[in-house]
Amino acid sequence: MVRKVINRPPVKGIDYSNNIYCFIGIHLASPEIQIKEIDEKFNSFSLKNKFALSLIFKNYDDRLRNTYDEFEDDPYHFLLNLLFKSSKLSKDDENKVFDLLVNNNNADAIDIAMYDKLSRNAHVR
């Protein structure tokens, strides 16, 4: 059944891969990892979705670390930079993280996961 969903052609450009949660769920439910499909989508995903994918499929963590600098204008670049390169957060950084991830109307599960990782990995100075 999962293979049918993966192989179903998009209708008007919409398929299971347009939603990161559906994309991850389908690939977790698949009896075999579809590396080719995941690789293709990883390359086209937003930085936020690349982060989400790397949370679930650990082999994408290094790829995320090696490519996130290509997205300097993306707000997730700031967050990933803190995650990968900082051992401590300044009070200003902490406030910016809170505003980006918590204090907005668009926060979702990926933002919560990022906030959790940052709060575990970096202590306030």
Side-chain angles (χ1 to χ4, degrees):
M1 181 65 157
V2 172
R3 198 71 180 115
K4 286 182 182 180
V5 172
I6 291 173
N7 290 332
R8 184 177 299 143
V11 176
K12 296 185 180 181
I14 298 173
D15 66 7
Y16 79 97
S17 67
N18 292 100
N19 178 294
I20 187 65
Y21 304 107
C22 291
F23 181 80
I24 289 172
I26 289 294
H27 286 284
L28 286 174
S30 178
E32 57 192 52
I33 301 272
Q34 309 299 318
I35 297 296
K36 181 181 174 193
E37 288 91 349
I38 297 172
D39 280 347
E40 287 173 6
K41 285 310 267 189
F42 182 88
N43 292 333
S44 67
F45 274 157
S46 68
L47 197 51
K48 181 176 180 174
N49 286 349
K50 287 177 192 279
F51 169 71
L53 199 65
S54 75
L55 288 174
I56 305 303
F57 301 105
K58 296 299 181 193
N59 54 322
Y60 287 89
D61 189 60
D62 285 339
R63 285 182 62 182
L64 177 63
R65 287 175 185 266
N66 293 332
T67 61
Y68 84 98
D69 274 333
E70 298 169 14
F71 299 85
E72 288 185 15
D73 295 333
D74 188 306
Y76 254 72
H77 179 269
F78 167 76
L79 300 167
L80 288 168
N81 200 49
L82 288 176
L83 186 64
F84 296 150
K85 296 184 178 177
S86 294
S87 60
K88 294 188 179 203
L89 291 179
S90 69
K91 190 64 174 165
D92 288 340
D93 288 342
E94 183 185 58
N95 290 337
K96 188 171 180 180
V97 166
F98 185 81
D99 285 341
L100 286 170
L101 296 175
V102 179
N103 196 24
N104 70 60
N105 293 330
N106 299 319
D108 60 13
I110 301 167
D111 295 328
I112 293 167
M114 173 59 84
Y115 189 75
D116 181 61
K117 281 188 82 74
L118 281 168
S119 65
R120 290 174 191 254
N121 291 348
H123 303 287
V124 179
R125 295 182 237 184

